Amino acid sequence: MINYIIKRLLALIPILIGVAVIVFLIVHLIPGDPAQTMLGERATDAALARLREQMGLNDPLYIQFWRYIKDLLRGDMGRSIMSNNPVITELQARFPATLELSFFAIIFAVGVGVPAGIFASINQNSWFDNLSMVIALMGVSMPIFWLGLMFIWLFAVQLGWFPPSSRLGVGIDFTPITNLYVVDSIIQLNFTALVDILHHLVLPAIALGTIPMAIIARMTRSSMLEVLRKDYIRTAFAKGLQRKVVIFKHALKNALVPIITVVGLQFGVLLGGAVMTETIFSWPGLGKYLVDAIYARDFPVVQGGILFFATVFVLVNLIVDLSYALVDPRIQYE
Amino acid sequence: MAEKNNKVLKKNSNPWLEAWRRLLKSKIGVAGMAIIVLLLLVAIFAPMLAPYDPYEQNILSRYKSPSAQHILGTDEMGRDILSRIIYGSRISLQVGLFAVLMALVIGVGLGLIAGYYGGKLDMIIMRFMDIMLAFPSILLAIGIVAILGPQLKNAMLAIGIINIPRFARIIRSSIISIKESEYISAAKALGAGDARIIFKHLLPNAMAPLIVQTTLSIATAILEAAALSFLGLGAQPPSPEWGAMLSDARSSLQKAPWVATFPGLAIIFGVLGFNLLGDGLRDALDPKMKNV
Amino acid sequence: MKKIILTTFILLVLMSVVVTGAMAQQQGGTLVFGRGGDSVGLDPIQVTDGESFKVTQQIYDTLVDYTPGTTEVEPALATDWEVSDDGLTWTFHLREGVQFHDGTPFNAEAVKFNFDRWRLEDNPYHIGGEFTYYSYMFQGFPGIIQEVNVVDDYTIEFVLSEKQAPFLNNLAMVPFGIASPTAVKKYGEDYFKHPVGTGAYVLDEWRQGDRVILKANENYWRERAYLDEIVFRSIPDNSARFMELQSGTIDMMDGVSPEDVESVNSNDQLQLSLRPSMNVGYFAMNFNFEPFDNVKVRKAFNYAIDKQAIIDAFYAGLAEPAKNPMPPSIWGYNDDIEAYDYNPEKAKELLTEAGYEDGFEFDLWYLPVPRPYIPQGKFIAQAIQSYLSDIGVTANLVTYDWSTYLDKTEHQEAPTYMLGWTGDNGDPDNFLYVLLDKTNSNNAYVSEELHDILVEAQKTMDHEKRVELYNQAQEIIHEDAPWVPLVHSTPPIALKSNVKNYIPNPTGTEKLHRVWLEN
């Protein structure tokens, strides 16, 4: 098992190097540069030339690339051109927001998707089965930004139940530590803030979680159906075991592997896919920030940020793979 | 295995015809086909169906709520939303089809090469696919569009590119699974060339998952195109692309929620059609295929 | 008619300012200012964005300042000044008894420290950024400020290498806020996070990406601020920000989208304040692309576009149609120029005369981002497209992301494009020379005659003479018609009705120490 993990980790290295190279090429192939964005309308030729010189943008591409790789190997991702903060600081400030949002989205997706899938599978072809599967199909077919817009319109504008944007209301006394606001407010026992933070999380988490919820519900249903058809389950029923026991102890356990796969993959997708949700809900997370950084040609931020995202993504996939063994002892890693 | 047995048992029946029959029996598949046919008809007969010119603006009657005159209201330029949605079906269908076609051709090509020749070539290609999959796909698409400039054709290209790895993987795994089988060895022994083996034997075997993946990918491609257009990176004004129609709707959400509502419903409808058909096809082509 | 309404409105706003000014001000309270983005940095010389200046203006003072609501220069950290006859030596007498927030005394040495840090590339504190605005206003490093001499503790002298007519106006700009030398030395590269000035507010906390919290400076050299605390909150989306205002979680916001102006006016909990216009939004035609080298075509376009209709639809009426490249709020504006009115027939005639009766096709580039002068580029571009199709010309809309857009227009790659400008210092040079001189124009507009006039005006210190030169310049530009000047907008700011005495500056940001809240 340990050997397998090490092998898998080593295999990640060339992938991440590839990501680093491609990111570098992409950001430098885009016309325009940070000097341009900084000066805006004031970008006269002379002013631009001066600024570029100061930023080292006039060096040939391979020198810039060499500098970037050398710094990267030393663990230095550079400083943001726009904010002058170290890139690592920017990531630390923003990634927790994305992580928190994705986490609650997946909680919602699993919390609704798995029970709905199970219930649909044991009542196959009932009205609930049909209805929930139609809803699930609609869910996968929905543009997430549109759902976000509708949520804001209905729940924030019309009904006023939830705030339309951001992570925390004004006037709430709260000091972030880890930038995972929920965690921070709990360890500080600041429950006023906690309530407000959760209140802000509801709409974006549900909007972001809807597509995974639909996928998970469908996956749970079909995987349960398959297991329920198996002989040993039929035997269990035939032996007169209690229905609940059969379903939850025997069937669900065996249906779990594909469900976990999907949940894990969806979590990875969510982290990257938070871009649209963060845009709609003005959520100060990493996805939206990276989009802005691409537009601003903030080279160090884009390079560092995407590399970071890719690392998280491949690690999540690895963990998903490994977790099979926990659920299903028959799977062995060599 | 099951299919082989079928072949032996009913010599006259074509497996594709079988699948088609099964598809016609599945409610889901038929519903999907109905939606897609409806969309195609709307797209083809748009000029006859649309009550107004989708580009004709009247900036003095912006944000008119739905009424007998404008069934779905008017947008920020005073244009008829219904007419724009009708014409928009043309764009969304085109984008979905072309982007996926591109991903299909390139992905299948790469997957074939990797799977068939194996070795170093396989490793290089598949590593590259892994790298692409490690990117958050929307950020990759945004980067590509930023290089090429925000236009619908570039968005289409970007969506095509980010969908390549999925096709490559499907083809490769399907080829590897049958490459060593007896009948391929037999074909080789009989002196069949690479091209012949690939197109006569390997590709047809990968057809079922490929068709399903293509249909489902069209659905996601439409969504991705809408997302890019929503961010201002796809279709340019005054194009009535559905996502682009939503892109400025946020500022008028309070004042004119219908501007945001209807194009979104149109997207769901179109995407749903391809998802339903994809599901139906999966059941029809191979009832044992996994539902992922 | 619209113009009258607008003027009346501005008058009413001004009157209400006077009236409320006379009411008893109340001390205390927290003002929450909702805005579109976070500050990039709080060291004013290192930043170029309005969101940074909005905050640094509260923390720092400049040697001279703009009188609130205008671009007239008045004393600030300098009490008075004189200039030598050759216009090259400026002497400033500094205010005594002023302290930075950290207790460092403000004096001539401190001023010299700041200027040396900005202008000398080998200065040890010339770090942490690009000092963009210094090189921009004073032409590089060290630029035209050749020497900075401490005459005595409270007198400082600048020796220039060439005359600069708007020198004083430039010094009043927010980027030239005077920083505490002690703090600059202490924090080095990270100074932008630990700003220390002499201003009415002290930085309390900056939560990057989210909010900046300022507290009143108890020892301010002017009267202490009315408000105890100001919170600047970033809420990027205009409509989301507006919802926050409606629900009462913020007290004021800028970047009100035109769609929301009506709801502000109909809500008695809210009021609208208009920033005096010091900008221009324009549509430029590139002389390198046929047929825009033909003055008749350019004039035809000027006649083809109904600016007032655009203003009514996309500015909620809150703008003035433009006829000159600079706004009427700036001295030297030539009001005698007769605008090209909306006249499609005339436009068609001109096209026919130019030999394009069958029209032609071209690319029209539109702004990808909202700017104060053109808040909704995409909408306006579509309106222009439709006006042009009325005279038989086909425009294809094109855009790029903001950085690329600027890069490509700068390299004269755009056949026609929308762009604009917000004035820095209230000087006509800052519009006419910067935008239309042959050395600067992005649309290949080259007029030697104009160039001579503009350069002469830069070197002339006599005000009347400069007015005359700029009037001439505007006539030349009007005849050559390199642009369709579209609008001078008055960007709206929405406030709760209990926010009093807020006076927006034409420069885009203002000090808030005289603002107070009514309970």
Side-chain angles (χ1 to χ4, degrees), chain C residues 331-332 462-472 474:
Chain C
W331 59 266
D462 178 59
H463 187 74
E464 291 310 310
K465 180 76 184 139
R466 290 189 78 203
V467 171
E468 200 179 298
L469 288 169
Y470 287 125
N471 271 325
Q472 278 175 35
Q474 287 165 74

Side-chain angles (χ1 to χ4, degrees), chain C residues 6 9-10 12-14 16-17 242 245 251-275 315-319 490-499 502 504:
Chain C
L6 190 70
F9 191 82
I10 293 173
L12 278 175
V13 170
L14 284 176
S16 65
V17 164
F242 186 62
L245 182 72
D251 297 305
M252 63 182 291
M253 64 173 279
D254 55 5
V256 180
S257 111
E259 268 79 13
D260 294 329
V261 166
E262 204 185 290
S263 351
V264 180
N265 286 332
S266 62
N267 184 337
D268 55 3
Q269 302 291 311
L270 300 177
Q271 52 173 328
L272 202 66
S273 179
L274 299 179
R275 188 176 293 290
Y315 289 83
L318 303 178
T490 47
I493 299 131
L495 312 96
K496 278 198 209 159
S497 18
N498 69 332
V499 179
Y502 170 74

Side-chain angles (χ1 to χ4, degrees), chain C residues 245-438:
Chain C
L245 182 72
Q246 284 172 311
S247 67
T249 51
I250 60 177
D251 297 305
M252 63 182 291
M253 64 173 279
D254 55 5
V256 180
S257 111
E259 268 79 13
D260 294 329
V261 166
E262 204 185 290
S263 351
V264 180
N265 286 332
S266 62
N267 184 337
D268 55 3
Q269 302 291 311
L270 300 177
Q271 52 173 328
L272 202 66
S273 179
L274 299 179
R275 188 176 293 290
S277 175
M278 196 167 73
N279 61 35
V280 60
Y282 59 85
F283 169 74
M285 294 158 280
N286 191 330
F287 287 55
N288 283 343
F289 289 80
E290 260 181 80
F292 301 113
D293 50 348
N294 187 327
V295 67
K296 289 202 168 115
V297 173
R298 298 195 303 269
K299 282 190 178 164
F301 275 32
N302 268 285
Y303 282 116
I305 296 167
D306 186 351
K307 297 169 191 172
Q308 192 58 55
I310 288 178
I311 290 170
D312 292 343
F314 306 112
Y315 289 83
L318 303 178
E320 227 182 298
K323 61 179 181 182
N324 286 324
M326 58 187 255
S329 58
I330 287 186
W331 59 266
Y333 180 80
N334 190 339
D335 210 10
D336 295 334
I337 280 174
E338 203 177 316
Y340 299 111
D341 48 350
Y342 173 53
N343 189 343
E345 289 311 313
K346 183 107 187 226
K348 270 189 214 156
E349 269 169 41
L350 280 165
L351 275 189
T352 312
E353 277 175 43
Y356 292 96
E357 61 270 29
D358 299 328
F360 56 90
E361 199 171 331
F362 69 100
D363 284 350
L364 191 169
W365 292 28
Y366 71 88
L367 286 167
V369 288
R371 308 298 291 168
Y373 44 79
I374 297 183
Q376 294 168 321
K378 198 196 279 178
F379 297 173
I380 295 172
Q382 292 179 74
I384 292 177
Q385 184 185 40
S386 152
Y387 284 125
L388 292 178
S389 88
D390 290 346
I391 62 165
V393 179
T394 310
N396 302 315
L397 301 190
V398 174
T399 198
Y400 292 92
D401 69 83
W402 186 220
S403 172
T404 312
Y405 188 89
L406 292 165
D407 186 58
K408 289 185 180 278
T409 47
E410 174 72 25
H411 289 99
Q412 309 192 345
E413 287 174 37
T416 67
Y417 57 94
M418 287 158 61
L419 208 57
W421 181 258
T422 302
D424 289 307
N425 57 7
D427 197 275
D429 180 68
N430 186 250
F431 277 83
L432 301 181
Y433 181 81
V434 165
L435 299 174
L436 286 160
D437 182 68
K438 64 170 186 173

Side-chain angles (χ1 to χ4, degrees), chain B residues 13-60:
Chain B
S13 95
N14 176 333
W16 293 107
L17 212 63
E18 274 298 301
W20 173 245
R21 287 206 189 104
R22 276 201 296 269
L23 182 63
L24 286 184
K25 272 188 208 148
S26 115
K27 270 187 246 163
I28 290 185
V30 173
M33 275 193 292
I35 291 179
I36 293 171
V37 169
L38 183 66
L39 270 183
L40 282 172
L41 290 177
V42 168
I44 294 168
F45 297 108
M48 280 168 229
L49 293 171
Y52 293 89
D53 175 351
Y55 300 106
E56 190 194 293
Q57 39 176 278
N58 179 359
I59 55 175
L60 297 176

